[in-house]
Amino acid sequence: MRPIKWKTRVKFSVKAVLFLTILVVLFVAASRLLRTKWVTQNQEEYIYSNLYDLNEDSLDVLILGNSQAVYGFSPVEMYNYAGLSAYSLGGSSATLMSNYYWMLETCKTQSPSLVILDVSGLLEPFREHYERERIDVMHFSQNKIDNILAMDGLAEESLLGYFVPMLKYHTRWSDLESVDFGYGLNSDLTYRGQDLEDYCKKGLTYSKLIIDNDDPEADLREMYDYQLEYFDNIYTYCQENDMELLLVKTPKYSWTGSDCAQVQALADKYGLTYIDFNWEEMLDAIGYDITTDMKDSDHLNVRGADKLSDWLCDYIRENYDLPDRREDEDYDLQINEELYDTEHTDAYLCSAIDPIEWLTLLKEHTDCDIFLSLYGDATGLVSDEMAALLADLGLETDLTALSDGECLVAWLTNDGTSVEEKTADGYVRIHGEMENGVAYDIASRNRGEGEQMTRLSIGGEDQSINTAGLNITVYDQEQDLIIETVCINLETGEMTCDTRAD
């Protein structure tokens, strides 16, 4: 047999390496495609992956925690208010183990001077499903390996599936959706770790939130040993790397006096400052309003987050030496600031409960269409202030001059014009198509045949709250998006809101 020439051997080796390389690339790409994308609820996919896009050494404040951190802190507000460069790393039921390894991952490219830890995780159990959401997003590194191995004894699933996601997700072929192919195109859904939450939980009371009068020994929940272990790891790492550690607890219904007492004892043991915003004194200090500032019983919305962040900025400025990044003309916040301003305004609009404030905020939406219908007797019920705000929005009809039983429908267009019809007897309707091709249909009946009613549909979808008063829908043609639908009860001044779900 003739020996294989060396050139043939090299050629064969190159082909083999190339084949294996292509095979690995395809395997990794398939794994990335098939794994679940964590783009609902707390937006972990974007919160954690966007961290990798930050310019090196551009971060001064690192916020760690679970979903309380996602909604409770506003890094963009901290920059706008005090020039602080902050990023919030939080997620559903995140453990301190997750916080620790993501802190290490962050510090590979960043050198924060201050770490703020929301302490909820100290009293929360390990939930493997939620831990997976953060491990899946973490780039392959020693930190990821250590994070996976640290779950030994806690995780029920095989740890091998964390190293090779294909083992868990290989059956997802039939479940793939558009988000699996293009989720990276929507990376602007979060802003330096914050999910701008516009929902406003109604009916909450201070009695359950304020912990001043709680029995510190009642309903004692003990801290988990593994959480305390990673608390010590976080503390030690901060000490070794000249990073200050500040403990914080955002407003949370399920947080008790005993929880606070345990954390305070832990803070005292380590010589750390602990700020708990569940005390009445602290709630008053930030200007907290339970009627407007909560997403739900355990999480702040954007209004609450802005208030807490402003107070925290003042505290940080008084107690820590951090740069004001606004003084650096080259500093890049690395967000879509125009989109943030729009989303922020939307969030305040959708969490408003006072009609005058809501209409005032609505004036900032000069690029939106406003659809309005009135039914029920409005005679003498529309204040001059409300009428003036509606006139500023483009309504030509003077609502203070409506006669008894007169109903109205109107389309206030985004170019400043209006289409309006009113009647004192019977049924009134306008309908047609907007510039983007989407149909609209508005109708109202105060008397005559049939029951009193109002109907307002966009694109064939009914948006009506259909109760007596002023029914308004705000629509963005460019995004084909309902910003909000409300009904202002002119007799009581109360406002019913149908906040968008997305």
Side-chain angles (χ1 to χ4, degrees), residues 22 81 199 220 343 379 427 459:
I22 293 174
Y81 183 83
Y199 187 74
L220 181 65
E343 291 283 340
T379 307
Y427 175 80

Side-chain angles (χ1 to χ4, degrees), residues 360-375:
T360 301
L361 288 168
L362 188 55
K363 288 172 60 179
E364 298 184 32
H365 274 285
T366 56
D367 56 344
C368 286
D369 293 83
I370 300 169
F371 296 91
L372 179 151
S373 67
L374 171 69
Y375 90 87

Side-chain angles (χ1 to χ4, degrees), residues 52-65:
Y52 290 107
D53 297 329
L54 292 181
N55 294 331
E56 190 170 344
D57 287 329
S58 64
L59 184 63
D60 301 315
V61 181
L62 175 62
I63 303 169
L64 301 173

Side-chain angles (χ1 to χ4, degrees), residues 32-289:
R32 184 175 177 83
L33 173 64
L34 288 173
R35 77 165 175 84
T36 300
K37 310 305 184 298
W38 310 108
V39 295
T40 57
Q41 293 183 334
N42 298 323
Q43 307 285 356
E44 276 93 341
E45 192 76 44
Y46 303 121
I47 289 173
Y48 287 91
S49 62
N50 288 355
L51 174 75
Y52 290 107
D53 297 329
L54 292 181
N55 294 331
E56 190 170 344
D57 287 329
S58 64
L59 184 63
D60 301 315
V61 181
L62 175 62
I63 303 169
L64 301 173
N66 53 21
S67 56
Q68 269 74 47
V70 176
Y71 300 108
F73 302 91
S74 176
V76 178
E77 175 67 13
M78 294 172 75
Y79 174 82
N80 291 336
Y81 183 83
L84 296 176
S85 172
Y87 197 98
S88 186
L89 280 179
S92 304
S93 297
T95 61
L96 269 67
M97 175 175 63
S98 176
N99 292 161
Y100 172 68
Y101 286 109
W102 271 102
M103 179 180 68
L104 299 186
E105 191 73 358
T106 301
C107 290
K108 286 162 56 176
T109 57
Q110 304 296 329
S111 303
S113 299
L114 174 63
V115 174
I116 298 174
L117 175 65
D118 183 279
V119 295
S120 292
L122 283 164
L123 292 117
E124 291 194 4
F126 176 86
R127 296 180 175 91
E128 184 172 2
H129 169 73
Y130 292 124
E131 291 298 291
R132 175 137 216 155
E133 294 180 4
R134 288 168 288 281
I135 290 177
D136 277 353
V137 182
M138 187 181 288
H139 290 182
F140 192 79
S141 64
Q142 188 62 50
N143 291 327
K144 183 165 187 169
I145 294 172
D146 291 342
N147 194 171
I148 294 171
L149 295 177
M151 293 199 302
D152 187 28
L154 293 171
E156 295 182 0
E157 296 184 14
S158 168
L159 297 185
L160 185 59
Y162 288 89
F163 288 107
V164 187
M166 183 71 82
L167 295 177
K168 178 177 177 62
Y169 298 120
H170 65 278
T171 60
R172 283 194 72 238
W173 287 106
S174 59
D175 298 326
L176 292 178
E177 300 176 351
S178 59
V179 68
D180 290 294
F181 296 90
Y183 71 92
L185 300 177
N186 294 317
S187 60
D188 290 328
L189 290 176
T190 61
Y191 300 93
R192 297 181 74 86
Q194 184 190 18
D195 186 358
L196 287 177
E197 179 54 57
D198 57 18
Y199 187 74
C200 178
K201 179 70 173 179
K202 308 297 192 300
L204 299 179
T205 63
Y206 280 108
S207 58
K208 191 172 181 180
L209 180 66
I210 297 175
I211 62 176
D212 299 45
N213 300 316
D214 281 1
D215 180 354
E217 299 301 325
D219 302 321
L220 181 65
R221 296 189 297 167
E222 294 187 4
M223 295 179 181
Y224 292 89
D225 289 341
Y226 74 92
Q227 300 279 33
L228 290 170
E229 174 188 348
Y230 280 97
F231 178 86
D232 186 77
N233 289 344
I234 291 171
Y235 170 81
T236 300
Y237 186 85
C238 287
Q239 289 290 105
E240 292 175 347
N241 291 273
D242 297 322
M243 299 189 301
E244 300 279 358
L245 179 59
L246 174 64
L247 308 183
V248 170
K249 182 69 222 82
T250 59
K252 182 179 181 181
Y253 247 51
S254 57
W255 194 251
T256 68
S258 63
D259 297 337
C260 177
Q262 290 183 85
V263 176
Q264 187 61 63
L266 185 67
D268 293 342
K269 175 183 175 181
Y270 281 85
L272 298 172
T273 298
Y274 171 45
I275 303 172
D276 195 322
F277 288 95
N278 291 274
W279 295 94
E280 185 172 17
E281 179 184 0
M282 294 307 303
L283 292 169
D284 289 343
I286 66 175
Y288 176 84
D289 185 345

